[in-house]
Amino acid sequence: MRRAVASLFCAVSLLFAVGCSASPPEALHPAALKAEKASMLQDSGKGRELSQDEVKAIVDDLLPRGEKAVELIYGMTVQAKIPQSAPETDGADFFPVTGPSRSLSEIKKEVEAVFTPQVAGEYYRECISGDDPVFREMDGVLQYNRNHRKYAAMPEWQVDTAILMRQTVDEITVEMDVVSQGSEPVRQNLKLKKTGDRWYLDSELILS
């Protein structure tokens, strides 16, 4: 009898030791979390609908880069060599650009990295071609037209007010508040389009 009780006690002790030695589930490494977020931004929407939070994450990624590209192509951040003695004129008035971009190809690269070809084309028609462009290249030198219509600041697209309105596998429409300088917020649609595994802005960011 004592031998049976001793054997039972040893078996229970062995099971307890095995259970205590089991490793707890591992937490995701920060690098893994970052990779998961990148996957959500660039590889979402395959065969399923995106959640509101996933859509906001995509918009949060695209909008700052889109605003930077628009400020660039409209000359909002341009640095140009304009002599103080240069007389004021009514028509196009071009001066050499000293920064931040030094060529039209550099500007287009920034725009096309975040906007669809259709929207990029609209910006090019207003800011590069036509009778009153923002920029031109002469003899390999990028020049800025200081008399082009100017915008004091970008309107503020308030992502925290965004509501998902429509989505397909490769298109998303969200509605959010947009605040222009000195104006009340207005509700405005922002469209996104997916090409390959990347999302692009399919709306212009300056309100007409």
Side-chain angles (χ1 to χ4, degrees):
M1 181 67 178
R2 290 180 179 178
R3 184 176 297 174
V5 171
S7 298
L8 180 61
F9 179 77
C10 289
V12 171
S13 299
L14 180 62
L15 288 173
F16 180 78
V18 170
C20 290
S21 64
S23 299
E26 294 185 3
L28 279 177
H29 189 275
L33 289 172
K34 185 176 181 181
E36 183 178 325
K37 182 179 179 181
S39 176
M40 178 178 67
L41 293 176
Q42 300 297 348
D43 199 35
S44 297
K46 291 186 176 180
R48 69 179 181 87
E49 290 191 348
L50 305 183
S51 69
Q52 179 93 354
D53 287 341
E54 287 175 315
V55 171
K56 281 188 176 181
I58 294 170
V59 174
D60 268 331
D61 175 65
L62 290 175
L63 262 181
R65 294 192 289 123
E67 290 167 350
K68 180 181 176 182
V70 171
E71 289 174 347
L72 183 64
I73 197 166
Y74 275 95
M76 296 180 186
T77 57
V78 71
Q79 301 164 22
K81 190 175 181 180
I82 304 176
Q84 291 184 348
S85 59
E88 295 288 341
T89 63
D90 294 330
D93 202 10
F94 289 94
F95 296 88
V97 170
T98 58
S101 295
R102 297 299 186 88
S103 68
L104 289 180
S105 62
E106 287 183 19
I107 294 174
K108 288 182 175 181
K109 184 178 179 180
E110 293 284 341
V111 173
E112 292 167 14
V114 66
F115 290 100
T116 61
Q118 291 78 12
V119 175
E122 291 297 323
Y123 286 133
Y124 297 159
R125 275 186 282 277
E126 180 174 359
C127 300
I128 294 178
S129 59
D131 298 329
D132 186 31
V134 179
F135 296 102
R136 72 178 183 186
E137 279 186 342
M138 293 289 289
D139 300 324
V141 177
L142 183 64
Q143 298 181 340
Y144 167 69
N145 176 14
R146 69 172 175 178
N147 286 342
H148 185 271
R149 180 178 58 159
K150 295 177 176 63
Y151 294 93
M154 285 286 300
E156 180 186 353
W157 292 74
Q158 299 181 334
V159 181
D160 59 330
T161 67
I163 297 175
L164 176 59
M165 302 297 291
R166 174 182 177 273
Q167 69 168 297
T168 64
V169 173
D170 57 3
E171 292 184 356
I172 294 173
T173 300
V174 296
E175 183 185 79
M176 70 182 79
D177 285 347
V178 183
V179 181
S180 298
Q181 194 171 32
S183 301
E184 293 295 320
V186 295
R187 298 297 288 178
Q188 190 78 17
N189 284 345
L190 181 73
K191 295 181 179 180
L192 316 176
K193 184 172 287 187
K194 192 175 187 183
T195 301
D197 63 350
R198 295 186 60 185
W199 287 98
Y200 296 86
L201 293 173
D202 196 37
S203 295
E204 295 185 50
L205 298 185
I206 290 183
L207 306 182
S208 56

